Amino acid sequence: MTATKFVGESPTRIDGLDKITGAANYVDDLSFGPNLLHAEVVESPYAHALIKSIDTSAAEKVPGVVRVVTGREFPHRFGLYMRDRFIFPTDRVRFVGEQVAAVVARDAKTAKRAAKLVKIVYEELEPVLDLAGALRDNPTLVHPDLGKYPRCPWFFPQAGTNIAHWRKTRKGDIAQGFKEADVILEDTYTVPRYAHCAIEPHVIVGLCDLAGRLTLWSASQSPFTQRHVFAQALAPLGLSHKDIRVVTPYVGGGFGGKAGVSMEIIGAALAMMVKGHPVKVRWSRAQEFYNTYQRQGVIARIKLGAKKDGTITAIEHTLHWDAGGYVEYGANVVNAVGFSATGPYRVPNVKIDSVCVYTNLPPGGPYRGFGYSEFHFGLESHITRIAKKIGMDPVEFRRKNAIREGDTLAYGAEMNASGLHEAIDKVAAEIGWGRKEVSKDPNRVIGKGFACFWKSPAMPPNAASSAFIKFNEDGSLNICASGMEIGQGYFTVMAQIAAEILTVPVSKIRMEAPDTDRNAYEWQTVGSHVTWGCGNAVKAAALDVRSKMFEVVERALGLSRDTLYVEDEKVKCRARADFELPFRDFVISGIQTEHGNFIGGPILGSGVFMPEFTSAVSDPETSQGGHPNVHYTVGAAAAIVELDKQTGRMRVLKAVLAVDAGKAIHPELVKGQIVGGMLQGLATVLYEDIRYSLKGKLLNANFTDYKIPTSMDLPGEIVPIIVEVPQPDGPFGARGVAEHTMIPAAAIIANAVDDAVGLRLKSLPITAEKVALELQGIAYDDVKGAYMGLCFAGHLDKYDFHTKAAKK
Amino acid sequence: MNKQITLTINGEARAVEVGPTDILLDVLREKLGIKSPKIGCERGDCGACTVLLDGKSVRSCLILAIEADGHKITTLEGLSRNGLTPLQESFLKHSSFQCGFCAPGIVLSATELLAKHPHPSEEEIKESISGNLCRCTGYKPIIEAIAAVSNARRKSV
């Protein structure tokens, strides 16, 4: 690859100044004047109930109340991949906190007061709160109409059950695979739900003006997808895509929680009811926890076979997901795992069942890692265990089985270029693998844990990116694309890509957050795909700009475009060494000829990227025949954990993570993703501990009781390592890395705890309390009390994976 | 009953009418147009609403506006009136923030720290921002940027 000047450097973030001066505007910072209305939703107190009547009359009489809205006005379903929700339900509620009505008032306090006066009569139904209840014989059905919902063609709901989707992947001969194994290990793992905890709560302001134009200012990762979902849901009101504009300023953290459409649909609907007035819906921190998306809980059974020499012969991986009351997005998480739950290994014989199950808990959905963090906990625990069982070093076992370019994936396609072996070796060296460490404190022991990881973006096969680039008079550039700067550094990376092609320095490039009227289309900023997908579109747009500059120079000055090139913001010519034309001299006003006229004009470029090689069409019984994933990003990680045998308290002395970025366009930003993602991942293992009452109410919907890490909770050291095996179809070889950095966190801790004290914990989180109890021989399941933390209320080992519903 | 109070905000005396239960954060944002203090949790957990009250960091979501009558308030907008502070320069150079939502609070907490302790230890730095939650960065580039200001000062003495 030729040397690059801007790509591979780490320039100052182009959004940096906005953020350290207070100039950065987030949705709630925008001013809408004294006509702004405020909305408060009326929430279901029940996890599962029929709505018998709604009386809004008392609320409507409160002075300052402008409108009370219920599902009567909006009998329309919405949803990204499956339309299984109403904007406001009229027949039944499916989780505690679900919106049933909204009060729109002149001020927020009045809206809140009036919302309490909306009288809703419910008939309580038996709630489905865990997976055993959802999959038992003759269960209560969360969605009796499941078979009728419009959905994407790659979802397979099982009408008459609580199974919303079932992804089956079959490769080779599973029975033969286990027959060839010398050792077979089978066990169950479970991971509870988690909350995203972006510091900015969801907020949307909607304005439908008196001419019928609907504008939404939304804290979102997905402006164009939101516009599309809004247009689908509001089509019965006569709106089409051109009537809807979504503006997304800076967003204060997403982590998947602001992907797709969750509470934002309420803002769009209410705006239609109070035309001419902007109306704001802002979620409280508690609503942020229970009425956006949560990471789904999962219980997983893994059966793994290996030969004595360490070769994996077969894997059977069954995952039951607690997907909540609505799965319009969450079922796609389940789908993604169904293709990839082998982990980054060569496995000749594969049977994966990834089953999406409705429950009466808050809706599941995308969360950084998109299901991969969840299944890697069990799988990477299991890999270490089977290696030990055959007497092989767990790192050596991984090295032996690690997937390589060209290997056949579980769904039949070929593995992309991969630096997995390099990542394994570098992490093992950095963590001092094989070197036992001893604590100075006799009460403490030190253990090391290792894991590999992989992840692919989960995208529909037609998830496209595009970009416009336009010059300004002084030769500076604006890039108008619609990825979101959610903190990962997207603006800066896109600017580096354009800079590399056009030689315009990053400091002369401006990127603004999207506005669907003005910026080019982007599917969504999810799946760690924008560096790759949108980066390709920006690169194409920059090449288009360059070719248009050459075309103008050729027409105006008669220099053949084949002889032209760009350098230092000038067009130069290989045939004429003395020729150089600064961009600023012609990119707006054109080039004056000897006749006095001007040739050219404002230079505008556009670029499009579509992953044309992908396909979601495959055999539903085996998943063979399609190409659902564009590529995988791989890596490895390890931790050194010091554990206090008396209190169970764990301190991460060192964590190391290596990820194959293909090409790190901005190495400092990649390292920032590794450090931030690793801490987020460690928090899901060590502190974050979600709890529901036995009525399905979330009990710790705040930062006092749901602990996310502070600056005092850092590991002793986090060492980021970048591996670069280029992705052939990535911009300058790049592929995404952002989600991946939290995926191995749970397994490296679980493996380190086992290494330290011989305790194998099979459920998350791994809190000090749990470790201390287990070290004293007390099973956590016996003493966990009357709170639901997990997606299965009973003992892990007693979960039945083969009920009638789950047996098909 | 509403009352007129006077706040010296970022060096400018501003009079504003507030109710007895009005929260300082809401008054700053909605009545005075100062938008850098953010609403993250409204119960003192996250620190996104941090402002300096007479030089001390406080959570403006936990203070009644009326309690601030006659006091000096500094928000992020007030720091760079004469150009970026060395601390802001350091945050910029270290790419300390990702989404940036916690930045207004953290910049002020760190400003308070360096005013009190020009050369804090790493533990003091961590403690000074321990009331400001950041979900993106893992805090490391924030801590490094604060330490770099302290080290630069030491060199220049």
Side-chain angles (χ1 to χ4, degrees):
Chain A
M1 191 163 279
T2 52
T4 53
K5 190 174 169 191
F6 298 98
V7 163
E9 297 297 309
S10 293
T12 301
R13 294 177 68 110
I14 63 179
D15 56 335
L17 197 56
D18 286 356
K19 289 173 177 174
I20 53 117
T21 57
N25 272 321
Y26 303 80
V27 171
D28 201 35
D29 300 337
L30 305 177
S31 294
F32 293 90
N35 205 24
L36 176 67
L37 302 176
H38 299 264
E40 181 77 18
V41 299
V42 183
E43 300 176 334
S44 166
Y46 299 113
H48 198 190
L50 296 177
I51 299 169
K52 305 307 282 186
S53 67
I54 303 176
D55 178 1
T56 58
S57 55
E60 277 160 358
K61 286 186 193 121
V62 174
V65 169
V66 174
R67 185 87 195 231
V68 183
V69 179
T70 70
R72 283 191 294 266
E73 284 97 333
F74 290 101
H76 319 308
R77 289 189 185 279
F78 78 100
L80 182 59
Y81 293 114
M82 178 148 75
R83 288 160 84 169
D84 67 352
R85 301 191 67 161
F86 285 109
I87 301 172
F88 298 101
T90 52
D91 55 344
R92 75 167 70 202
V93 288
R94 294 183 172 88
F95 66 95
V96 176
E98 181 172 7
Q99 70 273 9
V100 183
V103 175
V104 179
R106 280 283 153 202
D107 64 90
K109 281 178 186 165
T110 303
K112 194 167 266 191
R113 209 169 64 239
K116 294 200 175 92
L117 300 176
V118 175
K119 290 192 189 72
I120 303 171
V121 177
Y122 296 95
E123 180 188 325
E124 213 178 332
L125 299 174
E126 184 197 21
V128 178
L129 293 179
D130 80 350
L131 289 164
L135 296 176
R136 71 174 192 220
D137 292 345
N138 303 314
T140 301
L141 293 182
V142 179
H143 286 267
D145 293 333
L146 175 59
K148 297 179 194 158
Y149 297 156
R151 63 178 198 276
C152 67
W154 67 88
F155 278 8
F156 308 110
Q158 319 273 311
T161 76
N162 284 315
I163 296 176
H165 175 47
W166 190 329
R167 171 55 59 188
K168 299 176 185 178
T169 298
R170 306 283 185 268
K171 178 186 145 190
D173 181 339
I174 193 76
Q176 183 60 29
F178 284 118
K179 222 176 271 172
E180 288 167 12
D182 296 314
V183 178
I184 293 172
L185 180 67
E186 190 171 0
D187 213 336
T188 303
Y189 301 86
T190 186
V191 178
R193 289 166 163 254
Y194 287 96
H196 302 76
C197 302
I199 309 300
E200 178 201 32
H202 283 62
V203 55
I204 186 164
V205 178
L207 169 63
C208 182
D209 68 21
L210 296 174
R213 166 113 267 201
L214 178 63
T215 304
L216 291 314
W217 292 265
S218 179
S220 169
Q221 300 174 224
S222 312
F224 275 93
T225 288
Q226 288 206 336
R227 186 180 71 166
H228 189 52
V229 173
F230 294 156
Q232 281 181 334
L234 301 176
L237 302 178
L239 285 182
S240 69
H241 287 73
K242 74 155 178 44
D243 303 320
I244 303 176
R245 173 184 171 209
V246 178
V247 182
T248 48
Y250 280 127
V251 58
F255 312 108
K258 288 172 184 152
V261 172
S262 62
M263 58 76 79
E264 298 87 355
I265 195 78
I266 300 170
L270 295 182
M272 298 303 294
M273 290 292 109
V274 290
K275 283 187 182 170
H277 301 69
V279 54
K280 180 184 282 190
V281 189
R282 191 181 74 213
W283 255 197
S284 67
R285 177 53 56 187
Q287 287 170 315
E288 194 64 21
F289 272 89
Y290 61 69
N291 194 2
T292 55
Y293 296 117
Q294 287 182 353
R295 197 172 105 175
Q296 300 169 136
V298 69
I299 186 162
R301 186 83 180 161
I302 304 175
K303 183 178 174 188
L304 188 66
K307 290 184 185 165
K308 275 187 204 136
D309 68 357
T311 309
I312 296 175
T313 61
I315 186 169
E316 194 177 306
H317 201 161
T318 308
L319 304 106
H320 290 177
W321 297 84
D322 159 21
Y326 302 99
V327 306
E328 45 91 20
Y329 204 146
N332 208 42
V333 176
V334 175
N335 193 62
V337 171
F339 294 124
S340 303
T342 55
Y345 301 107
R346 299 173 145 167
V347 189
N349 304 295
V350 178
K351 177 175 185 284
I352 303 171
D353 291 273
S354 190
V355 184
C356 180
V357 183
Y358 280 120
T359 60
N360 289 117
L361 291 176
Y367 180 119
R368 187 179 199 169
F370 214 71
Y372 286 71
S373 299
E374 295 90 306
F375 86 73
H376 275 76
F377 166 61
L379 182 68
E380 287 297 308
S381 297
H382 217 69
I383 293 276
T384 288
R385 292 174 69 190
I386 202 164
K388 284 183 162 182
K389 203 168 171 184
I390 60 172
M392 194 166 174
D393 176 76
V395 171
E396 190 47 41
F397 183 89
R398 286 178 169 88
R399 212 179 263 128
K400 185 173 180 68
N401 291 287
I403 199 157
R404 291 181 188 275
E405 182 176 1
D407 283 347
T408 306
L409 297 162
Y411 51 82
E414 272 187 16
M415 178 61 186
N416 52 281
S418 153
L420 182 55
H421 288 83
E422 186 182 338
I424 292 171
D425 292 345
K426 286 188 166 162
V427 170
E430 178 62 38
I431 207 76
W433 188 254
R435 194 171 66 229
K436 187 72 191 162
E437 295 184 26
V438 180
S439 175
K440 290 183 194 112
D441 184 333
N443 287 322
R444 295 180 184 179
V445 278
I446 294 176
K448 292 181 183 177
F450 197 99
C452 292
F453 62 89
W454 74 349
K455 186 187 175 294
S456 166
M459 305 165 33
N462 53 353
S465 300
S466 59
F468 300 137
I469 296 181
K470 55 180 186 171
F471 264 114
N472 300 309
E473 290 85 338
D474 61 355
S476 64
L477 289 175
N478 285 52
I479 302 174
C480 304
S482 295
M484 280 305 296
E485 176 51 76
I486 55 173
Q488 79 284 51
Y490 161 79
F491 281 0
T492 310
V493 165
M494 293 305 115
Q496 286 176 272
I497 289 169
E500 193 62 50
I501 301 292
L502 294 171
T503 74
V504 175
V506 170
S507 60
K508 290 180 77 174
I509 298 176
R510 180 165 286 280
M511 258 196 111
E512 291 287 338
D515 171 334
T516 55
D517 266 14
R518 290 159 199 187
N519 287 21
Y521 178 88
E522 171 62 51
W523 165 61
Q524 304 190 76
T525 299
V526 298
S528 310
H529 90 106
V530 291
T531 294
W532 174 75
C534 194
N536 274 327
V538 167
K539 188 178 171 195
L543 289 168
D544 187 38
V545 162
R546 194 175 72 184
S547 120
K548 282 176 172 156
M549 288 197 288
F550 293 165
E551 188 258 343
V552 170
V553 171
E554 183 181 72
R555 280 203 295 127
L557 303 174
L559 298 171
S560 163
R561 70 181 75 184
D562 299 337
T563 63
L564 300 174
Y565 65 100
V566 292
E567 190 174 77
D568 299 333
E569 304 171 70
K570 297 172 185 125
V571 177
K572 297 187 177 180
C573 179
R574 276 185 217 93
R576 268 186 55 190
D578 63 326
F579 174 79
E580 58 174 47
L581 182 63
F583 296 169
R584 64 172 181 273
D585 288 358
F586 78 102
V587 289
I588 293 290
S589 308
I591 299 171
Q592 193 168 26
T593 72
E594 59 201 82
H595 309 295
N597 64 326
F598 286 83
I599 302 289
I603 301 285
L604 305 168
S606 67
V608 171
F609 179 72
M610 172 73 104
E612 293 180 350
F613 57 94
T614 64
S615 162
V617 180
S618 62
D619 177 358
E621 293 305 314
T622 65
S623 295
Q624 298 299 315
H627 196 308
N629 287 338
V630 292
H631 58 254
Y632 289 89
T633 296
V634 299
I640 305 177
V641 175
E642 185 181 49
L643 188 151
D644 186 312
K645 286 185 282 182
Q646 287 173 321
T647 63
R649 200 180 139 89
M650 289 152 282
R651 210 175 112 65
V652 180
L653 301 178
K654 181 171 180 172
V656 182
L657 187 143
V659 63
D660 182 3
K663 170 70 188 174
I665 290 178
H666 190 303
E668 283 305 314
L669 291 176
V670 173
K671 289 176 184 168
Q673 287 305 306
I674 293 175
V675 172
M678 177 54 80
L679 189 64
Q680 191 175 3
L682 292 175
T684 62
V685 199
L686 299 170
Y687 328 110
E688 295 179 31
D689 193 356
I690 210 161
R691 297 298 174 103
Y692 289 91
S693 77
L694 294 179
K695 290 276 199 180
K697 183 179 181 341
L698 181 60
L699 297 171
N700 53 345
N702 60 68
F703 289 143
T704 317
D705 302 311
Y706 184 96
K707 296 286 188 200
I708 67 170
T710 73
S711 53
M712 306 299 279
D713 302 314
L714 299 186
E717 190 184 6
I718 298 176
V719 180
I721 297 172
I722 298 171
V723 172
E724 293 182 314
V725 175
Q727 179 63 29
D729 61 1
F732 303 97
R735 60 174 88 79
V737 299
E739 291 171 278
H740 309 72
T741 57
M742 74 178 284
I743 291 172
I748 60 177
I749 298 301
N751 288 338
V753 168
D754 177 53
D755 185 48
V757 289
L759 177 65
R760 175 54 62 181
L761 291 170
K762 296 179 283 183
S763 67
L764 289 185
I766 299 175
T767 57
E769 177 195 17
K770 195 182 276 183
V771 169
L773 284 168
E774 299 274 354
L775 283 176
Q776 291 174 44
I778 301 167
Y780 184 75
D781 273 354
D782 289 336
V783 295
K784 64 187 177 187
Y787 302 111
M788 291 264 307
L790 300 173
C791 44
F792 175 50
H795 274 247
L796 190 56
D797 294 332
K798 293 185 182 136
Y799 182 81
D800 182 3
F801 281 89
H802 301 289
T803 60
K804 211 165 92 191
K807 215 169 189 173
K808 279 179 196 169
Chain B
M1 207 174 75
N2 285 2
K3 185 189 173 204
Q4 180 162 304
I5 62 170
T6 304
L7 308 171
T8 303
I9 300 176
N10 298 327
E12 180 191 356
R14 293 187 67 180
V16 59
E17 199 172 283
V18 300
T21 60
D22 284 357
I23 303 295
L24 178 60
L25 173 61
D26 296 335
V27 169
L28 287 171
R29 289 178 57 87
E30 301 308 325
K31 294 192 174 172
L32 296 166
I34 309 272
K35 302 282 191 169
S36 78
K38 304 289 186 239
I39 301 172
C41 71
E42 299 175 279
R43 49 181 276 153
D45 284 330
C46 78
C49 65
T50 302
V51 300
L52 299 183
L53 184 73
D54 300 329
K56 292 190 180 114
S57 61
V58 295
R59 295 163 194 282
S60 62
C61 75
L62 294 183
I63 291 184
L64 295 172
I66 212 155
E67 294 179 273
D69 190 10
H71 291 273
K72 286 183 193 158
I73 290 168
T74 306
T75 68
L76 182 55
E77 288 91 341
L79 290 189
S80 47
R81 279 171 300 158
N82 303 311
L84 297 181
T85 65
L87 181 63
Q88 284 174 307
E89 295 275 11
S90 187
F91 281 135
L92 189 60
K93 190 176 151 215
H94 285 81
S95 287
S96 292
F97 297 103
Q98 291 185 20
C99 85
F101 200 75
C102 69
I106 289 184
V107 177
L108 290 170
S109 292
T111 298
E112 179 194 26
L113 170 75
L114 292 177
K116 281 188 198 156
H117 304 290
H119 302 295
S121 68
E122 188 174 320
E123 279 312 295
E124 284 169 328
I125 292 173
K126 285 183 179 173
E127 197 164 350
S128 76
I129 58 165
S130 64
N132 297 92
L133 295 177
C134 165
R135 189 58 152 171
C136 300
T137 64
Y139 301 101
K140 193 176 160 201
I142 296 170
I143 294 164
E144 285 169 355
I146 300 170
V149 177
S150 160
N151 293 339
R153 281 184 184 173
R154 203 171 263 136
K155 272 180 211 150
S156 65
V157 170

